[in-house]
Amino acid sequence: MIGGGQGGNIGAVHRMAARLDGQFQLVAGALSSDPERARASGAALGLDPARSYGSFSDMARAEAARPDGVEAVAIVTPNHLHAAPAITFLEHGVHVICDKPLTATMAEAEALARAAEASPALFILTHNYTGYPMIRQARAMVASGALGAIRLVQAEYIQDWLSDAVEAKGSKQAEWRTDPARAGLGGALGDIGTHAWNLAAFVSGMEPEALAADLTSFVPGRSLDDNAHVMLRYASGARGALWCSQVASGQENALSLRIFGDKAGIEWHQEEPNCLWFSPIGAPRQRLTRGGPGASPEAARVSRVPGGHPEGYIEAFATLYAEAAEAIRARQTGEAVPEGVLYPDLRDGLSGMRFIAAAVASARQNSAWVSL
Amino acid sequence: MIGGGQGGNIGAVHRMAARLDGQFQLVAGALSSDPERARASGAALGLDPARSYGSFSDMARAEAARPDGVEAVAIVTPNHLHAAPAITFLEHGVHVICDKPLTATMAEAEALARAAEASPALFILTHNYTGYPMIRQARAMVASGALGAIRLVQAEYIQDWLSDAVEAKGSKQAEWRTDPARAGLGGALGDIGTHAWNLAAFVSGMEPEALAADLTSFVPGRSLDDNAHVMLRYASGARGALWCSQVASGQENALSLRIFGDKAGIEWHQEEPNCLWFSPIGAPRQRLTRGGPGASPEAARVSRVPGGHPEGYIEAFATLYAEAAEAIRARQTGEAVPEGVLYPDLRDGLSGMRFIAAAVASARQNSAWVSL
Amino acid sequence: MIGGGQGGNIGAVHRMAARLDGQFQLVAGALSSDPERARASGAALGLDPARSYGSFSDMARAEAARPDGVEAVAIVTPNHLHAAPAITFLEHGVHVICDKPLTATMAEAEALARAAEASPALFILTHNYTGYPMIRQARAMVASGALGAIRLVQAEYIQDWLSDAVEAKGSKQAEWRTDPARAGLGGALGDIGTHAWNLAAFVSGMEPEALAADLTSFVPGRSLDDNAHVMLRYASGARGALWCSQVASGQENALSLRIFGDKAGIEWHQEEPNCLWFSPIGAPRQRLTRGGPGASPEAARVSRVPGGHPEGYIEAFATLYAEAAEAIRARQTGEAVPEGVLYPDLRDGLSGMRFIAAAVASARQNSAWVSL
Amino acid sequence: MIGGGQGGNIGAVHRMAARLDGQFQLVAGALSSDPERARASGAALGLDPARSYGSFSDMARAEAARPDGVEAVAIVTPNHLHAAPAITFLEHGVHVICDKPLTATMAEAEALARAAEASPALFILTHNYTGYPMIRQARAMVASGALGAIRLVQAEYIQDWLSDAVEAKGSKQAEWRTDPARAGLGGALGDIGTHAWNLAAFVSGMEPEALAADLTSFVPGRSLDDNAHVMLRYASGARGALWCSQVASGQENALSLRIFGDKAGIEWHQEEPNCLWFSPIGAPRQRLTRGGPGASPEAARVSRVPGGHPEGYIEAFATLYAEAAEAIRARQTGEAVPEGVLYPDLRDGLSGMRFIAAAVASARQNSAWVSL
């Protein structure tokens, strides 16, 4: 693991996700860019001191030289520290599981893309919300034509934790996310907007061809967006909207997706993830549940417990790790990846970067439509 | 009553709304533009045949001449038939209660505005959703500063009844609403978008200074919009979005409003109208209910039954009639209108017309921002 | 109207319910047992002073003598004042619409039953919750076999307004409801338990053959029950439970009904009355809505506005008045009552009285099963 | 692990729960009472074949003899196979983590209690629902007096998976649960009723002194109860009801708890576990959320991810494993168990057994009150 030392947040989530299905074991890490803190964090996690490194490059070199070196590495650093370790490990043939957004800059993203293409190793991007069973089902329903021709795609991701200038009050999480040097061009856009963007594409099976955006930084002193309204146009004629905000008072982690076709609509809310609403035109609305009578094979494949026993955020995250394990195993054995295995990869990462860039470009042109 | 004859829909709603609080009695009408149907409809409603007229002009003339002529008239015709009767009755000094949107064209709207200004009679526009108690409370909370400075206004009004070309299959309601000659410039924009626009302004206490819109007609053969995405900018720096759609499969009458300030947010859904969510930053979310411990005097003033006994659409509509009765009584007696009495009027109607016009103009300029 | 004067509550509801559909006009009343207050209340409601009576017996006599005397009377007094006026008006051939529970004592109930049998006039008991469209649909679904053989009937009616000794603090509503001399044997049992009892029977189509009850008076100084747990046994082998409480903190008017058969289950909540959950075994749960695609003719018959436009408590109450009007009209014309017309009557009233008596008897025998 | 081999269900849940927080590693097992299946299951889970045993007694003996023998054992067999292995491991000083209900018979339960008392090892019973953060908060709120004096405790646990005779159609899970020889005296009572019983006690801080029960076996051919209505009396004067059913069509795993005091009420639903409703009398209802502004330290102590990122069933289960790890560590070091550590133990198990016995006894006496 790169990053994820003491004081962090998402590192612990990755570790739980990796552990849940028993497919990964944490054996080495460069847990902080501060070598001292890296070692202390490694000790706290019970890492062999010999494999608790002071830097990602040390780790890559040393692990590559070991016969029992790591097979995969999780990168859980701030955005601007994704590209360098990812490229290094890919060059050493180590599979990379990387947090989103892909990188802080488009240049880094492109360099990473080249490295991934040149490497025999896999690159998995943790757009973790794609791991929810009912999201898998939603995707399958759209693909099967259950919604008919898609007309509308409405994605929202709203929170309130940046309603105030917490970045100036000691929140380490807020600090780097509101700092262009570390976060990149996008604030809310990069942190949560890319999740909404990715989820909409994952489920609808299509990406917009153009967008028009209005970005705002409501909190005084903040230079990156903390709110973005984005209108979407698809080549098919479909339309949509994406709204992400980190100043929506009272909202915790309200990611939602609604898709309407000419035959039916679906609706899903991350905070109630075991349920998917299905509304066929002319028939009663159905509440499909994970593990319930309307659950599809795609949902069942990534479920762990029966219906009514709620699975949550960690389980969805763990599903990406389980999918990664399947894909890595297939790569190692040369066999085909089992049917149904799905995970976001570099293309998703590049798409997210284009989304951020296009939204910022549109906002700078007074919300003109920008092609993707 | 003008319009509201057999085969119609909203006329019956107006009649129930007028009756509920016992303030109005239906005594005369020109219930259809077809004289035969007008008379049959009057008979079915038990009107004195002598006061069941074949045209609004006949009615205006005759009623004005009676010592017991109508004090107020409800106009419940399609949009293009609002202005003429409204102007006529205003000229005769009869108070007008008129369905929305104000008119089909801006020219009609302006003529009506001039007539209203010149008349001693009142003009009330039935943006009926402003009659809901928890909407009154929401408005009062914003005005009192409970939300702090407003940052975001998100209004939605989505339905699915025009998902298919029902206007070509005998739906009289759909026919005129999708016909530019009768509905005006806006399809969904006029029919439901103006409600969302009005409600957002009623509660937030402010109107956008500019908008950028993307309009679509999803159903083949339809010339007016059946879906509109609109981004909003307020002079205060607040931002917002308004989405109205009549092709959102599975949605019945999903009008909702969310407003976020720098201190708190609120959320309201028309289909669960007795509840208002209040989310102060840093404190638990509260479910305020009509008649419950958190209900404000503004909600109580327009409530009829205790908490937990749901009031609905007809009650909210009736509240506008009750407010109209208060205002008319005050006008007749020369006393002040009682505190708290609120109803949409010509300014709201003109604002709605500007909204339609601006949205259409923006859409024609590829979603450029248009000032209001 | 008998009762319903100033300071009352349910009288105003009856008047709105009577007015909504335009079938009744209030023309006479004995609005209070205090003649002075009766007259003042009549004046406030605009009654002709000659028809605003000081007592129900004056009114019965005088109205019966008028050629334009009342056709029906609404009795909205406390329980112990139901029987006498009801009997009197029935004897004069005036149709009676009476609030529930039927009477305060079983002896009164039986006398009233005899009077009703002897009278050509109708007796309608306002178990108003039977007027909700989705309750009509639920009843029809059970009757049609959509649920299969019924196994479980779970009824709840919980409130919190008697959590404290409000009867000692000036609440007139609480005073008589907690006074055995005026309310009868049952406290919560009579006030709300009879509603739950009636609703369960109305929808399930069957009444328990035995019950076992545990009654409590939680608030010090209160002699009647403010909470009742009741277990139910049906002749068919079905089982059930009824819980009513007026000390369930935070509950407003939470009447709910769940029925489970061997094919499907249904669930309904009075505070969200436009929705009925339908759960067929082995298929997804459906959210049926009034006016929506799954609404049945029985629901449509008593609906006034389209789906998504919520109807509430007053509308359901008004439906009983509309049903009464249909039945009265049929009685007057000698024609058959139109198909689908339903209203609780004396049998329902007697059943409710037996429920109260049996629950009290069971409680006195330490919750032994008591036959009905 | 004892039990949990192929074809089982709860074994996999225990393994995920044990893994999630990285406190336990599965190193040995007697995964089936069928030695062949035990070995195959061990191989599938990657157990060292030398530590994949054919019987629990072999395992106990062999592991006790190893210097690196297991510290704790999880028992996930059907009810009648809890006591023997639990007693054996306790005798060998191995900590026992055992599924509920405690045993199949009271005699076994008492033997187990004696063994536990005699052993230096700990006994943890996986009433897993006590691991939910908002349940911890609910318990703390009751204990702090936030609800005032408790008046009502309403627990429900309803499912539908035994609506049909699935035990006769090959469901292994249903087979033993409906077999008195393996399940014990209680059907639904033991399988889910004990969970509801335990949860009510865990949160309310008190146990009933008497109960009256009505048990039913709705499905023909079933000898154990599949539905139980139970009325509860507490020494304090509080009252309550517990309803458990496995024939409630359309219900997945609907465990809920409502507690009403004279100051406030709370409500919690297992299928939406991150939320706790708090209803103080005279103030608006609050929706407290795990990780949200109203979350208590007790909830935070057992939370893993921020608010709005739902934690579910596996996390709650894992919390019991984490608590067990804390308690075992304290036992090993001789230090005090850290503040806040909570887990159900033998007393809870015995209480559950008394609940089953009392309910069955009451039912046999036609629902007479039976003391506990």
Side-chain angles (χ1 to χ4, degrees):
Chain A
M1 175 168 281
I2 308 303
Q6 291 160 335
N9 169 11
I10 197 70
V13 171
H14 278 260
R15 287 190 295 267
M16 287 187 283
R19 253 188 330 249
L20 183 67
D21 294 316
Q23 304 277 355
F24 292 93
Q25 236 183 313
L26 181 66
V27 292
L31 300 171
S32 172
S33 50
D34 168 353
E36 201 43 55
R37 192 196 196 102
R39 270 166 234 289
S41 300
L45 290 172
L47 281 192
D48 174 353
R51 301 179 78 179
S52 181
Y53 302 94
S55 77
F56 72 83
S57 42
D58 287 356
M59 174 171 160
R61 209 175 312 114
E63 290 291 319
R66 292 178 70 111
D68 65 346
V70 294
E71 292 174 277
V73 67
I75 298 177
V76 301
T77 46
N79 306 350
H80 69 305
L81 299 174
H82 288 177
I87 291 171
T88 301
F89 280 98
L90 286 170
E91 286 173 354
H92 283 88
V94 174
H95 305 293
V96 171
I97 298 172
C98 182
D99 214 288
K100 45 45 59 185
L102 189 60
T103 56
T105 69
M106 193 58 89
E108 290 167 356
E110 283 159 5
L112 177 48
R114 284 189 298 272
E117 210 166 328
S119 170
L122 294 169
F123 182 88
I124 292 107
L125 191 69
T126 52
H127 274 306
N128 51 289
Y129 300 109
T130 62
Y132 275 117
M134 299 317 281
I135 284 296
R136 298 294 178 103
Q137 174 154 353
R139 173 187 165 98
M141 290 171 75
V142 171
S144 76
L147 277 68
I150 301 306
R151 288 173 168 170
L152 292 161
V153 177
Q154 302 285 128
E156 280 189 15
Y157 197 153
I158 59 177
Q159 305 179 323
D160 72 357
W161 71 291
L162 296 181
S163 288
D164 202 355
V166 287
E167 62 266 39
K169 298 175 183 167
S171 163
K172 202 184 135 178
Q173 299 299 324
E175 243 176 70
W176 73 257
R177 279 181 175 82
T178 56
D179 174 6
R182 288 178 278 175
L185 282 175
L189 276 177
D191 193 29
I192 57 176
T194 51
H195 271 310
W197 175 263
N198 178 260
L199 197 71
F202 183 81
V203 174
S204 72
M206 58 187 189
E207 295 205 353
E209 59 172 6
L211 62 74
D214 196 24
L215 306 186
T216 329
S217 302
F218 279 111
V219 173
R222 193 170 286 163
S223 59
L224 292 178
D225 64 283
D226 49 23
N227 186 84
H229 284 107
V230 188
M231 301 196 297
L232 308 172
R233 287 182 180 164
Y234 292 83
S236 68
R239 289 291 187 273
L242 185 156
W243 174 38
C244 61
S245 184
Q246 296 183 311
V247 297
S249 18
Q251 303 300 316
E252 296 184 341
N253 198 41
L255 169 62
S256 71
L257 183 65
R258 293 177 287 179
I259 300 184
F260 302 96
D262 61 10
K263 286 193 190 156
I266 53 173
E267 181 169 347
W268 180 82
H269 295 270
Q270 191 271 149
E271 295 186 359
E272 203 189 350
N274 294 279
C275 159
L276 175 69
W277 289 96
F278 177 54
S279 308
I281 295 183
R285 209 171 190 200
Q286 298 178 9
R287 190 176 184 275
L288 307 176
T289 54
R290 192 192 54 72
S296 74
E298 292 81 6
R301 201 184 70 80
V302 295
S303 282
R304 292 167 185 80
V305 284
H309 300 69
E311 293 195 22
Y313 175 83
I314 296 172
E315 286 84 345
F317 217 118
T319 289
L320 285 203
Y321 269 87
E323 300 288 56
E326 294 275 16
I328 290 171
R329 202 173 292 126
R331 179 64 57 105
Q332 289 167 340
T333 61
E335 287 173 18
V337 176
E339 208 189 318
V341 169
L342 285 173
Y343 55 85
D345 61 13
L346 213 80
R347 276 163 310 180
D348 299 279
L350 289 168
S351 172
M353 296 303 290
R354 282 193 304 269
F355 161 66
I356 298 172
V360 170
S362 172
R364 287 183 183 158
Q365 299 165 56
N366 201 25
S367 311
W369 287 97
V370 169
S371 294
L372 281 147
Chain B
M1 175 168 283
I2 307 304
Q6 290 160 336
N9 170 13
I10 198 68
V13 171
H14 278 260
R15 287 191 294 268
M16 288 187 282
R19 255 190 327 252
L20 183 67
D21 295 317
Q23 305 277 354
F24 292 92
Q25 236 184 313
L26 181 66
V27 291
L31 300 171
S32 172
S33 49
D34 167 354
E36 201 44 54
R37 192 198 197 101
R39 270 168 235 288
S41 299
L45 290 171
L47 282 192
D48 175 351
R51 300 179 79 179
S52 182
Y53 302 93
S55 76
F56 72 82
S57 42
D58 286 358
M59 174 171 161
R61 208 174 315 115
E63 289 290 321
R66 293 177 70 111
D68 64 347
V70 295
E71 292 174 278
V73 67
I75 298 176
V76 301
T77 45
N79 306 351
H80 69 304
L81 300 174
H82 289 177
I87 291 171
T88 301
F89 281 98
L90 286 169
E91 286 172 354
H92 282 88
V94 175
H95 306 292
V96 171
I97 299 173
C98 182
D99 214 289
K100 45 47 62 187
L102 189 58
T103 56
T105 69
M106 192 58 90
E108 291 168 355
E110 283 159 5
L112 176 48
R114 284 189 298 271
E117 210 166 329
S119 170
L122 293 170
F123 181 89
I124 292 106
L125 190 71
T126 52
H127 274 306
N128 51 289
Y129 300 109
T130 62
Y132 275 117
M134 298 317 280
I135 284 295
R136 297 295 178 103
Q137 173 154 354
R139 174 187 164 100
M141 289 171 75
V142 171
S144 75
L147 277 69
I150 302 305
R151 287 173 169 171
L152 291 160
V153 177
Q154 303 285 129
E156 279 189 16
Y157 198 154
I158 58 177
Q159 305 178 323
D160 72 356
W161 71 291
L162 295 181
S163 288
D164 202 357
V166 288
E167 63 267 37
K169 298 175 182 166
S171 163
K172 203 184 137 178
Q173 299 299 324
E175 244 175 69
W176 72 257
R177 279 181 176 84
T178 55
D179 173 8
R182 288 178 278 175
L185 282 174
L189 275 177
D191 193 30
I192 57 175
T194 50
H195 272 310
W197 175 264
N198 178 260
L199 196 71
F202 184 81
V203 175
S204 72
M206 60 188 187
E207 294 205 354
E209 60 171 6
L211 62 73
D214 195 25
L215 306 187
T216 330
S217 303
F218 280 110
V219 173
R222 192 169 287 163
S223 59
L224 291 178
D225 64 283
D226 50 24
N227 187 84
H229 284 107
V230 189
M231 301 196 298
L232 307 173
R233 288 182 180 162
Y234 292 84
S236 68
R239 289 290 186 273
L242 184 156
W243 174 39
C244 61
S245 184
Q246 295 182 312
V247 297
S249 18
Q251 304 298 317
E252 295 183 342
N253 199 39
L255 169 62
S256 71
L257 183 65
R258 293 177 287 179
I259 300 184
F260 302 96
D262 61 10
K263 286 193 189 156
I266 52 174
E267 180 168 347
W268 180 83
H269 295 269
Q270 191 272 149
E271 294 187 0
E272 202 187 353
N274 294 279
C275 160
L276 175 68
W277 289 96
F278 177 54
S279 306
I281 294 183
R285 210 171 189 201
Q286 296 178 10
R287 190 177 184 276
L288 307 176
T289 54
R290 192 193 53 74
S296 75
E298 292 82 4
R301 201 185 68 82
V302 295
S303 282
R304 292 166 187 82
V305 284
H309 299 69
E311 293 195 23
Y313 175 84
I314 296 171
E315 287 83 345
F317 217 117
T319 288
L320 284 203
Y321 270 87
E323 300 288 56
E326 294 275 17
I328 290 170
R329 202 173 292 126
R331 180 63 57 104
Q332 290 167 339
T333 61
E335 288 172 18
V337 177
E339 206 188 320
V341 169
L342 285 173
Y343 55 86
D345 62 13
L346 213 81
R347 276 164 309 179
D348 298 279
L350 289 169
S351 172
M353 295 303 289
R354 283 194 303 269
F355 160 66
I356 298 172
V360 170
S362 172
R364 287 183 182 158
Q365 298 165 58
N366 200 24
S367 311
W369 287 98
V370 169
S371 294
L372 281 146
Chain C
M1 175 168 282
I2 307 305
Q6 290 160 335
N9 168 12
I10 197 69
V13 170
H14 278 260
R15 288 190 293 267
M16 286 187 283
R19 254 189 328 251
L20 183 67
D21 295 318
Q23 305 277 354
F24 292 93
Q25 236 184 311
L26 182 66
V27 292
L31 300 171
S32 173
S33 49
D34 167 355
E36 202 44 55
R37 190 197 197 102
R39 271 168 233 289
S41 299
L45 289 172
L47 282 191
D48 174 353
R51 301 179 79 178
S52 181
Y53 302 93
S55 76
F56 73 82
S57 41
D58 286 358
M59 174 170 160
R61 208 176 313 114
E63 289 291 320
R66 293 177 68 110
D68 64 346
V70 294
E71 292 174 277
V73 67
I75 299 177
V76 301
T77 46
N79 307 350
H80 69 306
L81 299 175
H82 290 178
I87 291 170
T88 302
F89 280 98
L90 286 170
E91 286 172 354
H92 282 88
V94 174
H95 306 293
V96 171
I97 299 172
C98 182
D99 214 288
K100 44 49 57 186
L102 189 60
T103 56
T105 70
M106 192 59 89
E108 290 168 354
E110 284 160 4
L112 177 48
R114 284 189 298 272
E117 210 165 330
S119 169
L122 294 169
F123 181 88
I124 292 108
L125 190 71
T126 52
H127 274 307
N128 51 290
Y129 299 109
T130 63
Y132 275 117
M134 298 317 281
I135 284 296
R136 298 296 178 101
Q137 174 155 354
R139 174 186 165 99
M141 289 171 75
V142 171
S144 75
L147 277 68
I150 302 305
R151 288 173 167 170
L152 292 160
V153 177
Q154 303 285 129
E156 280 189 15
Y157 198 153
I158 59 177
Q159 303 179 323
D160 71 358
W161 72 291
L162 295 181
S163 288
D164 202 357
V166 288
E167 62 267 39
K169 298 176 183 165
S171 163
K172 202 184 135 179
Q173 299 299 324
E175 243 175 68
W176 73 256
R177 279 182 176 82
T178 56
D179 173 8
R182 288 178 278 176
L185 282 175
L189 276 178
D191 192 29
I192 57 176
T194 51
H195 272 309
W197 175 265
N198 178 261
L199 196 71
F202 184 82
V203 174
S204 72
M206 58 187 189
E207 293 205 355
E209 60 172 6
L211 62 74
D214 195 23
L215 305 187
T216 329
S217 302
F218 279 110
V219 173
R222 192 170 287 164
S223 59
L224 291 178
D225 64 283
D226 48 25
N227 187 82
H229 285 106
V230 188
M231 300 196 298
L232 308 172
R233 287 181 181 165
Y234 293 84
S236 66
R239 290 290 187 275
L242 185 155
W243 173 39
C244 62
S245 184
Q246 295 182 311
V247 297
S249 19
Q251 304 299 317
E252 297 183 342
N253 198 41
L255 168 62
S256 71
L257 183 64
R258 293 176 289 178
I259 301 184
F260 302 96
D262 61 10
K263 285 194 192 156
I266 52 173
E267 180 168 347
W268 179 82
H269 295 269
Q270 192 269 151
E271 295 186 359
E272 202 189 353
N274 294 280
C275 159
L276 175 68
W277 289 95
F278 176 55
S279 307
I281 294 183
R285 209 172 192 201
Q286 296 178 9
R287 189 175 185 276
L288 306 176
T289 54
R290 193 192 53 73
S296 75
E298 291 82 5
R301 201 186 68 81
V302 295
S303 283
R304 292 166 185 82
V305 284
H309 299 69
E311 292 195 23
Y313 175 83
I314 297 172
E315 286 84 345
F317 217 117
T319 288
L320 285 203
Y321 269 86
E323 300 288 56
E326 294 274 16
I328 291 170
R329 200 172 295 125
R331 181 64 56 105
Q332 290 167 339
T333 61
E335 288 173 16
V337 176
E339 209 190 315
V341 169
L342 286 172
Y343 55 85
D345 61 14
L346 213 80
R347 277 163 310 179
D348 299 278
L350 289 168
S351 172
M353 296 303 290
R354 283 193 304 268
F355 161 67
I356 298 172
V360 170
S362 172
R364 286 181 182 157
Q365 298 166 59
N366 200 25
S367 312
W369 287 98
V370 170
S371 293
L372 281 147
Chain D
M1 175 168 283
I2 307 304
Q6 291 160 337
N9 169 11
I10 198 69
V13 171
H14 277 261
R15 288 190 294 267
M16 286 186 283
R19 255 192 323 255
L20 183 67
D21 295 317
Q23 305 275 355
F24 291 93
Q25 236 182 313
L26 181 67
V27 293
L31 300 172
S32 173
S33 51
D34 168 354
E36 201 45 53
R37 193 198 196 99
R39 269 167 235 290
S41 299
L45 289 172
L47 281 191
D48 175 351
R51 301 179 78 178
S52 181
Y53 302 93
S55 76
F56 73 81
S57 42
D58 287 356
M59 175 171 157
R61 209 174 314 114
E63 289 291 322
R66 293 177 69 112
D68 64 347
V70 295
E71 292 174 279
V73 66
I75 298 177
V76 301
T77 47
N79 306 350
H80 69 305
L81 299 174
H82 288 178
I87 292 171
T88 301
F89 280 98
L90 287 169
E91 287 172 354
H92 282 89
V94 174
H95 306 293
V96 171
I97 299 172
C98 181
D99 214 287
K100 44 47 61 188
L102 189 59
T103 56
T105 71
M106 193 56 92
E108 290 168 355
E110 283 159 4
L112 177 48
R114 286 189 298 272
E117 209 165 330
S119 170
L122 295 169
F123 181 89
I124 292 107
L125 190 71
T126 52
H127 273 308
N128 51 290
Y129 299 109
T130 62
Y132 274 117
M134 298 318 281
I135 283 296
R136 298 295 178 101
Q137 174 154 356
R139 174 186 164 100
M141 288 171 75
V142 172
S144 75
L147 277 68
I150 301 304
R151 288 173 168 171
L152 292 160
V153 178
Q154 302 287 128
E156 279 188 16
Y157 197 154
I158 59 177
Q159 305 177 324
D160 71 356
W161 71 291
L162 295 181
S163 289
D164 202 356
V166 287
E167 62 268 38
K169 298 175 181 166
S171 163
K172 202 182 138 180
Q173 299 298 324
E175 245 176 69
W176 73 256
R177 279 182 175 82
T178 56
D179 174 7
R182 288 178 277 176
L185 282 175
L189 276 177
D191 193 29
I192 57 175
T194 50
H195 272 309
W197 175 265
N198 177 260
L199 197 70
F202 184 81
V203 174
S204 71
M206 59 188 188
E207 294 205 355
E209 61 172 5
L211 62 74
D214 195 22
L215 306 186
T216 330
S217 302
F218 280 110
V219 173
R222 192 170 285 165
S223 59
L224 292 177
D225 64 284
D226 49 24
N227 188 83
H229 284 108
V230 188
M231 300 196 298
L232 308 172
R233 288 181 180 164
Y234 292 83
S236 66
R239 289 291 188 273
L242 184 155
W243 174 38
C244 61
S245 185
Q246 295 182 311
V247 298
S249 18
Q251 304 298 319
E252 296 184 341
N253 198 41
L255 168 62
S256 71
L257 183 65
R258 292 177 289 178
I259 300 183
F260 302 96
D262 62 9
K263 286 194 191 154
I266 54 173
E267 179 168 350
W268 179 83
H269 295 270
Q270 192 270 151
E271 295 187 358
E272 202 188 351
N274 294 280
C275 159
L276 175 69
W277 289 96
F278 177 55
S279 307
I281 294 183
R285 210 171 190 201
Q286 297 177 9
R287 189 177 185 276
L288 307 176
T289 54
R290 191 192 55 73
S296 75
E298 292 82 5
R301 201 186 68 80
V302 296
S303 282
R304 292 166 186 82
V305 284
H309 299 68
E311 292 196 23
Y313 175 84
I314 296 172
E315 286 83 347
F317 218 118
T319 288
L320 285 203
Y321 269 88
E323 300 288 56
E326 294 274 18
I328 290 171
R329 202 172 293 127
R331 181 62 57 103
Q332 289 168 340
T333 60
E335 288 172 18
V337 176
E339 207 189 318
V341 169
L342 287 173
Y343 56 86
D345 62 14
L346 213 81
R347 277 163 309 180
D348 299 279
L350 289 168
S351 172
M353 296 303 290
R354 283 193 304 269
F355 161 67
I356 297 173
V360 170
S362 172
R364 287 182 182 158
Q365 298 165 58
N366 200 24
S367 312
W369 286 99
V370 170
S371 293
L372 281 146

